Amino acid sequence: MKISVVVSAYNNWLALERTLLGFRCQTLAPVELWVAEDSHFDEVAAVVAKHRELAPWPIRHITQVNKGYRKPVMMNRAFRDASGDFVVFTDADCVPRGDLLEAYARLARPGIFLAGGSHLSIPEAFHRERLTDAMIASQQLFDPDWLRAQGIELSRWRLTRSRPLARTLDLLTARNSLNGANTGAWRTDILKVGGYDETMGYGGEDRNFGYRMNNAGVRGVRARHSLVWVHLDHKRGYVDPALKQANLDWNREVKRQRLVWPRETAIPRPA
């Protein structure tokens, strides 16, 4: 099983620094990692160049002119050229625990996609002022007792390292929903649905992707206790309520009409 990782990025280069370090600490190496930048910042390029020198596997970097939120376009571009037979999608502010890719490889089954569930957020003041590389490399950042000593209360269950307990909790909290911050799917299944809908702005574009996979017969499996990551929290001044509502309305239509193919995508339709 070859895993490609696609990381969406914008101007959050400090968070990207931490996320790329998290992937360099993986117990199972990816075949490659793509930084899909919805912009073109020199600081992001510098972070990518640094980690490209240090990582034992290729890091690719693609950019585009900043014309507003166009993450779906970049995710499709990266996926289209990725070589893995399984693709993990995440964001530049999502730091993976060292066993994340190993867990994906262990849990992946034909006919399903996997999702890591909702945010476990590290407060912005902490990760900007106090978080160090050593805290990630040592995996302290994923230790609930250590976090509590720093004044950060995160779920002990969500951070468990017991595989049997994690799987039991996953089954008890199952939900068929794709979360773009930590999700993985087989390349063949992504091709069936044309990847992301490139017409969509922020708010619901990841769920749209998941709904269309459901409509194509690909079942979602939430594994939020097994696929462990933490989110570096931040303000969200870019949210457009009207656009988000339009996305929600479109998603209802996708579910109602059981649509599979997106309105617009650069991924070729299967013959």
Side-chain angles (χ1 to χ4, degrees), residues 91 93-94 117-121 158 179 181 229 231 233-234 236:
D91 294 333
D93 54 11
C94 298
S118 54
H119 289 167
L120 280 175
S121 285
R158 291 284 301 276
N179 181 308
W229 56 295
H231 174 248
D233 206 17
H234 55 84
R236 294 169 177 81

Side-chain angles (χ1 to χ4, degrees), residues 82-98:
S83 62
D85 51 6
F86 192 89
V87 182
V88 170
F89 295 99
T90 188
D91 294 333
D93 54 11
C94 298
V95 183
R97 196 168 72 181

